[in-house]
């Protein structure tokens, strides 16, 4: 009897902790999914659905044509293609250049490599808005204003945060791999592309997701550099929706859902590698 009471007393804190954790996660999940559900409700409602009190979560009549009407107003196909091209090029540029720079700092001994690493770390602390005006004048001076080049070119000089991730991951890889490859006659380029990078696929996928998401959602740079609306990406076109065409909220929410769709597909398709990449970074530690 005494033993049973002790067992119950011992299990009680575990159950209480599980319930509290479950309730906390439930509240957190609802707070995160609520805006998306509300957007979906407005996108499927009529023109007055936005202002109904109390809110009607399931519309009496579903207006699926809101997606078609909203897409027509922003020329969705054209701006979607612009966003896709810009995001793919920026992602390739940032990931590839960051892999090279991160490998160089982590695996190739050269004078001042710690200084370069600290400079990259320091540049992460610098708000992008500080360098926006000087960089704008440079690109305008060389005739690249109102083109995609000011958005695409900086991507091929590395992303400080990605360089930091690569350096941390590669520093944790034992140097015995390099020595074994060197015995077989491999140089640094071969060691990197055939040994080190294949070991870091989760990290590469993580950088691809973060880079594509950042480029897809980038609003300030296209707004500053692109005057021609035919060059606008989806982020700028959607933001200009209400100003140019009036606030038709059901069309606006429908277009925003279409805008979010590629990012959701990318995340869920690569979720496994994304979580592995974050886990491997956590295990590598700061060195």
């Amino acid at each position: 009897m005494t033993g049973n009471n002790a067992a119950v007393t011992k299990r009680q804190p575990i159950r209480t902790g599980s319930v509290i954790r479950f309730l906390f996660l439930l509240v957190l999940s609802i707070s995160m999914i609520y805006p998306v559900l509300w957007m979906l409700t407005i996108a499927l409602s009529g023109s007055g659905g936005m202002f109904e009190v109390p809110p009607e979560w399931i519309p009496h009549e579903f207006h699926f044509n809101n997606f078609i009407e909203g897409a027509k107003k922003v020329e969705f196909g054209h701006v979607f293609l612009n966003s896709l091209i810009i995001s793919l090029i920026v992602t390739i540029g940032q990931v590839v250049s960051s892999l090279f720079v991160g490998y160089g700092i982590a695996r190739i001994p050269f004078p001042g490599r710690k200084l370069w690493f600290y400079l990259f770390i320091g540049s992460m602390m610098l708000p992008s808005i500080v360098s926006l005006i000087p960089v704008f004048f440079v690109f305008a001076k060389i005739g690249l204003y109102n083109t995609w080049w000011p958005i695409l070119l900086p991507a091929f000089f590395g992303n400080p945060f990605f360089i930091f991730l690569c350096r941390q991951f590669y520093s944790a890889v034992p140097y015995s791999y390099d020595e074994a490859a060197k015995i077989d006659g491999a140089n640094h380029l071969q060691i990197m592309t055939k040994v080190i990078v294949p070991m870091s696929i989760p990290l590469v996928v993580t950088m691809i997701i973060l880079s594509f998401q950042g480029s897809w959602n980038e609003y300030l740079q296209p707004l500053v550099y692109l005057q021609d609306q035919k060059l606008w990406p989806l982020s700028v076109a959607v933001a200009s929706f209400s100003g140019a065409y009036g606030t038709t909220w059901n069309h606006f929410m429908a277009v925003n859902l279409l805008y979010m769709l590629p990012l959701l597909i990318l995340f869920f398709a690569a979720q496994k590698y994304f979580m592995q990449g974050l886990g491997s970074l956590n295990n590598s530690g700061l060195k």
Side-chain angles (χ1 to χ4, degrees):
M1 187 67 179
T2 305
N4 293 336
N5 290 336
V8 171
T9 306
K10 189 176 181 180
R11 286 198 300 268
Q12 189 66 25
I14 298 176
R15 291 180 177 178
T16 303
S18 300
V19 170
I20 292 174
R21 186 165 59 250
F22 173 78
L23 291 176
F24 174 74
L25 292 176
L26 181 64
V27 172
L28 196 64
S29 302
I30 291 174
S31 67
M32 289 184 176
I33 202 170
Y34 174 83
V36 179
L37 293 178
W38 185 73
M39 288 174 62
L40 183 61
T41 300
I42 301 302
L44 293 173
S45 301
S47 57
M50 174 81 178
F51 305 102
E52 288 187 359
V53 179
E56 190 178 48
W57 285 101
I58 301 178
H60 290 299
E61 186 177 353
F62 293 98
H63 296 263
F64 292 103
N65 61 331
N66 289 339
F67 290 89
I68 300 174
E69 295 298 325
K72 286 180 180 177
K73 287 182 177 179
V74 296
E75 298 182 4
F76 186 83
H78 179 73
V79 292
F80 179 86
L81 186 61
N82 287 348
S83 281
L84 189 62
I85 294 172
I86 292 173
S87 299
L88 286 177
I89 295 176
V90 168
T91 300
I92 292 171
Q94 286 188 344
V95 172
V96 172
S97 58
S98 298
L99 285 172
F100 274 95
V101 177
Y103 175 86
I105 293 176
R107 312 294 287 190
I108 302 176
F110 61 90
R113 67 171 179 166
K114 282 191 175 181
L115 176 62
W116 280 107
F117 178 64
Y118 293 140
L119 287 176
F120 282 119
I121 295 296
S123 66
M124 290 169 53
M125 311 303 169
L126 190 67
S128 59
I129 193 70
V130 173
S131 59
L132 181 65
I133 301 303
V135 174
F136 172 81
F137 278 112
V138 170
F139 281 117
K141 197 73 176 177
I142 59 178
L144 295 181
Y145 174 69
N146 202 29
T147 69
W148 285 349
W149 290 112
I151 303 170
L152 302 180
L153 282 178
F156 288 86
F157 292 92
N159 178 299
F161 179 61
F162 292 164
I163 292 171
F164 170 74
L165 295 182
C166 291
R167 190 265 184 186
Q168 291 306 111
F169 185 87
Y170 293 156
S171 296
V173 177
Y175 280 89
S176 56
Y177 290 99
D178 300 46
E179 294 168 358
K182 286 179 180 176
I183 292 174
D184 291 336
N187 55 32
H188 277 296
L189 180 61
Q190 293 169 323
I191 294 173
M192 174 190 160
T193 57
K194 297 182 179 180
V195 178
I196 303 298
V197 171
M199 297 170 61
S200 59
I201 294 302
L203 172 66
V204 175
V205 174
T206 301
M207 291 194 298
I208 289 174
I209 293 175
L210 294 178
S211 179
F212 190 87
Q213 181 201 25
S215 178
W216 189 265
N217 290 330
E218 178 62 41
Y219 171 74
L220 185 59
Q221 282 195 343
L223 184 67
V224 170
Y225 288 115
L226 302 177
Q227 186 181 25
D228 188 354
Q229 294 188 11
K230 293 181 180 178
L231 298 175
W232 279 3
L234 196 52
S235 57
V236 180
V238 170
S240 66
F241 191 97
S242 59
Y245 306 104
T247 311
T248 49
W249 290 104
N250 48 351
H251 295 169
F252 180 72
M253 293 300 178
V255 172
N256 270 282
L257 287 174
L258 295 175
Y259 171 74
M260 294 166 52
L261 197 57
L263 294 179
L264 293 176
I265 293 174
L266 177 65
F267 175 76
F268 285 114
Q271 183 183 14
K272 175 184 172 184
Y273 291 106
F274 183 71
M275 300 307 295
Q276 287 180 358
L278 295 180
S280 62
L281 290 171
N282 184 43
N283 294 333
S284 64
L286 182 63
K287 295 181 178 179

